[in-house]
Amino acid sequence: MIHFDNVTKVYVNQNRPALDHVSVDVDKGEFVFLVGPSGSGKSTFLRLVLKEERPNSGAIHVAGKDLARLSNFKIPHLRRRIGCVFQDFRLLPNKNVYENVAFALEVIGKPRRFIRKVVPEVVELVGLEGKAHRMPDELSGGEQQRVAMARAFVNRPMILLADEPTGNIDPATSIGIMKVLDRINRTGTTVVMATHDAAIVDSMRKRVVELEDGKIVRDQSRGVYGQAY
Amino acid sequence: MRANFIFSEVWIGLRRNLTMTIAVVVTVAIGMALLGVGLMISSQISSMRDFWTDKVEVSVFLCKKNDAFPQCKTSGGVNEQEQADLKAEIEAMPQVEQVTFENAAEAYKNFRTQNANNTVLLSAIQVDDMPESFRVKLKDPNTYAAVIEALSGRPGVSNVINQKELLEKFFGLLEKLRWAALIIAIILVFAATLQIGNTVRLSAYNRRRETGIMRLVGASNLYIQLPFVMEGVISGLIGGVVAAMLLIVSKVFLFDAVQVALNNNSELAWETVASVISLTMVVGVIICVLASFFTLRRYLRV
């Protein structure tokens, strides 16, 4: 599903590569934690998957597509198959829960009838039934992140990228968020989650890829956050 | 669905930037109106030139008794011999197509019809005040110089007036006006382009959350950019409508009024006004679209 082959990314005006000869494979339906300190290259990895950045060398395949050969014109179609969740939720403050989720479908031109059908289903999937007409500022951080997850998942993407989704949320609420991510993963969606949260990684016992200074220093199935050699 | 969504986005954008939108509309309207006025003057000049070129004559005015012209002082007006000589001489000229003699009564009649509204002037001027003249029609109106040269200062001739020269002075003035209108229009179009650029930049900044999310969920570039471009199109269209109204007003109250005052019946046709209006509208909208599109490429990374 995601295939990195010897990928190196150096940002302009920086000497040290953000990713240094990284090769990794993520299969369909996998749940992968991307761990490592700040600046280790986790976010760069996610941005490369979305083709928000281009690698300096190496090949990236996402959902069977070679990103180097993907024309700019086709990038939106790639992104429709990838859902994204961020630490800062990125909701539209002037739209309610339903509208925020529906927005993701409106802007890719889905018919209104389809939107009316799927949005309530997804809102229920993330556990926000009965709150569809709340505004984002009336919701807790955990609930806002659920809205963001509903928006990311509403188009049934093949891949869900989560960049520290629990970074702004207290540990108790984080468990709920992880349950939703797990539920999404069980529908067959590949989930890649970048995180600092050791407790969550340890409790989930999923595959862990650890980055340090842009290099993969550990790739372990059913891993934990800390060193576990 | 798509159209609905885009129009609601456009409406939100226009409302959020209301002051900028008004500024754009006003600039576009005035710029396009001046462009249109310039085009209308052009068309007016050419239609007047066509109308007049056939009719211009060289007028050879003859001396009367007590005429103020120095060359008439010695004689007590033109005598019949002089008049016959002049007629023969003019007819012999190769450039001349036709000569007619206008006596005082005819001149008075023409004068009356030309100044029908001016009762004060009409009551002051008598038949005897009107000079007699030869009206010389040239084969080619541009060959007047030799004719004037030959006839000026001849006995019995008070003065020679070339209507074409008067006409050219008037056309020269109109042409200057046209260039002034077009130059101001170009400056305003430039200003409008910058303003639209600014408006779009502001709009893009205001909507950066929305566009960020649109990018993320895979909205196509068209979907992301169209609301901004449509904002430009709508401001351009409103500006164009205002410009159209200004052009109609100027046709009725300026161009037609000038024609009436000049006693001229080469009035600007409504078809000309309509084509000028459609041209200015198209130009206005194209400018708005291009300006939005190019600023978008700078400020909206897709």
Side-chain angles (χ1 to χ4, degrees):
Chain A
M1 187 58 43
I2 301 172
H3 174 75
F4 274 49
D5 186 14
N6 220 7
V7 171
T8 299
K9 172 68 190 176
V10 187
Y11 286 106
V12 183
N13 298 331
Q14 287 203 336
N15 306 321
R16 203 174 56 79
L19 283 183
D20 192 359
H21 299 286
V22 167
S23 294
V24 70
D25 262 307
V26 178
D27 289 331
K28 190 175 188 322
E30 256 194 296
F31 194 121
V32 181
F33 283 115
L34 212 52
V35 302
S38 297
S40 60
K42 302 189 299 289
S43 295
T44 300
F45 182 92
L46 299 181
R47 291 169 67 80
L48 283 168
V49 173
L50 286 166
K51 210 182 172 186
E52 286 203 48
E53 300 287 348
R54 273 130 235 239
N56 297 76
S57 67
I60 303 172
H61 288 77
V62 176
K65 294 264 181 352
D66 181 355
L67 294 198
R69 291 178 176 203
L70 194 72
S71 67
N72 283 355
F73 183 66
K74 291 254 176 72
I75 292 177
H77 294 275
L78 169 77
R79 291 184 184 153
R80 286 179 199 182
R81 311 173 87 172
I82 305 173
C84 282
V85 180
F86 298 93
Q87 184 172 4
D88 56 358
F89 319 137
R90 301 200 188 169
L91 301 177
L92 298 175
N94 53 350
K95 290 189 191 301
N96 66 28
V97 170
Y98 178 93
E99 290 162 344
N100 262 289
V101 178
F103 185 78
L105 294 175
E106 282 169 347
V107 300
I108 60 173
K110 293 283 184 194
R112 185 177 289 171
R113 213 153 26 111
F114 175 77
I115 294 175
R116 283 218 192 95
K117 184 172 152 290
V118 298
V119 172
E121 287 172 12
V122 177
V123 169
E124 195 185 321
L125 177 91
V126 298
L128 285 174
E129 57 270 36
K131 292 185 174 166
H133 296 288
R134 299 279 187 87
M135 300 303 280
D137 59 4
E138 299 167 351
L139 299 173
S140 70
E143 286 168 329
Q144 288 186 46
Q145 191 60 288
R146 284 165 192 261
V147 180
M149 282 193 288
R151 185 180 63 198
F153 186 63
V154 71
N155 196 30
R156 306 281 160 167
M158 304 167 87
I159 301 168
L160 187 84
L161 304 179
D163 195 356
E164 312 213 17
T166 56
N168 275 341
I169 293 164
D170 64 80
T173 317
S174 294
I175 294 168
I177 298 294
M178 292 315 295
K179 278 188 178 151
V180 174
L181 275 179
D182 193 40
R183 209 179 294 163
I184 288 172
N185 179 233
R186 278 171 207 277
T187 66
T189 303
T190 309
V191 178
V192 178
M193 172 171 162
T195 186
H196 284 305
D197 198 326
I200 284 173
V201 176
D202 292 347
S203 70
M204 297 282 287
R205 306 296 295 187
K206 299 283 190 185
R207 180 178 170 192
V208 175
V209 173
E210 185 174 346
L211 286 167
E212 206 178 293
D213 293 334
K215 293 193 179 75
I216 292 183
V217 295
R218 175 165 64 114
D219 186 346
Q220 191 175 26
S221 55
R222 301 183 60 77
V224 292
Y225 188 85
Q227 256 70 30
Y229 294 107
Chain B
M1 186 67 225
R2 283 166 173 263
N4 216 339
F5 172 77
I6 284 173
F7 275 108
S8 80
E9 289 287 302
V10 169
W11 174 238
I12 291 167
L14 286 174
R15 226 178 28 189
R16 268 197 213 168
N17 284 332
L18 190 63
T19 49
M20 289 295 277
T21 306
I22 291 171
V24 170
V25 166
V26 169
T27 318
V28 169
I30 296 175
M32 290 305 111
L34 282 171
L35 177 66
V37 165
L39 294 173
M40 274 156 66
I41 293 176
S42 288
S43 148
Q44 182 79 82
I45 290 174
S46 70
S47 73
M48 279 171 79
R49 190 169 269 150
D50 288 348
F51 178 76
W52 282 107
T53 306
D54 290 346
K55 293 179 180 60
V56 286
E57 298 162 332
V58 176
S59 304
V60 182
F61 289 99
L62 304 178
C63 289
K64 300 190 282 104
K65 245 180 204 164
N66 309 324
D67 228 337
F69 292 98
Q71 58 267 42
C72 302
K73 284 274 169 60
T74 50
S75 67
V78 68
N79 60 40
E80 278 180 26
Q81 181 58 46
E82 282 168 349
Q83 198 173 313
D85 286 351
L86 272 170
K87 186 160 198 287
E89 190 180 341
I90 294 169
E91 279 171 342
M93 285 177 166
Q95 303 95 325
V96 172
E97 190 182 304
Q98 198 192 345
V99 188
T100 47
F101 179 72
E102 188 182 83
N103 64 28
E106 281 166 8
Y108 185 64
K109 211 175 86 192
N110 289 342
F111 178 78
R112 282 194 70 100
T113 47
Q114 276 172 20
N115 296 285
N117 301 323
N118 199 334
T119 47
V120 180
L121 197 61
L122 285 182
S123 61
I125 304 285
Q126 303 299 315
V127 183
D128 293 343
D129 297 325
M130 301 307 297
E132 295 175 327
S133 62
F134 284 113
R135 299 289 158 134
V136 182
K137 193 151 166 41
L138 300 178
K139 287 176 184 144
D140 175 1
N142 295 317
T143 57
Y144 58 84
V147 179
I148 294 173
E149 176 94 14
L151 296 174
S152 301
R154 296 301 299 257
V157 173
S158 63
N159 66 338
V160 182
I161 288 172
N162 178 25
Q163 289 178 339
K164 188 171 162 58
E165 234 170 11
L166 294 177
L167 217 57
E168 285 307 322
K169 269 186 199 156
F170 179 63
F171 286 154
L173 181 72
L174 281 184
E175 261 160 17
K176 272 182 202 143
L177 274 176
R178 172 182 68 180
W179 284 116
L182 289 180
I183 287 167
I184 298 171
I186 288 167
I187 294 169
L188 282 172
V189 164
F190 179 67
T193 317
L194 296 183
Q195 272 186 335
I196 292 161
N198 247 328
T199 313
V200 167
R201 188 168 62 165
L202 216 80
S203 205
Y205 182 77
N206 279 339
R207 285 217 296 261
R208 62 196 186 286
R209 279 172 192 275
E210 280 89 342
T211 50
I213 290 165
M214 286 164 97
R215 230 155 48 74
L216 209 64
V217 300
S220 63
N221 295 354
L222 180 77
Y223 235 83
I224 298 176
Q225 294 180 344
L226 203 57
F228 296 96
V229 175
M230 287 299 289
E231 270 179 56
V233 170
I234 288 176
S235 334
L237 270 180
I238 298 174
V241 169
V242 175
M245 294 192 291
L246 290 175
L247 285 176
I248 289 170
V249 166
S250 72
K251 140 93 172 134
V252 172
F253 292 100
L254 213 67
F255 284 81
D256 289 359
V258 166
Q259 293 302 311
V260 168
L262 288 177
N263 217 332
N264 194 331
N265 51 1
S266 50
E267 229 174 55
L268 210 56
W270 280 110
E271 294 87 74
T272 314
V273 180
S275 58
V276 164
I277 285 173
S278 20
L279 183 75
T280 52
M281 280 222 184
V282 169
V283 170
V285 169
I286 287 176
I287 287 165
C288 290
V289 169
L290 290 182
S292 332
F293 191 72
F294 284 108
T295 22
L296 271 184
R297 290 173 68 91
R298 276 184 65 189
Y299 295 105
L300 199 70
R301 204 175 68 98
V302 177

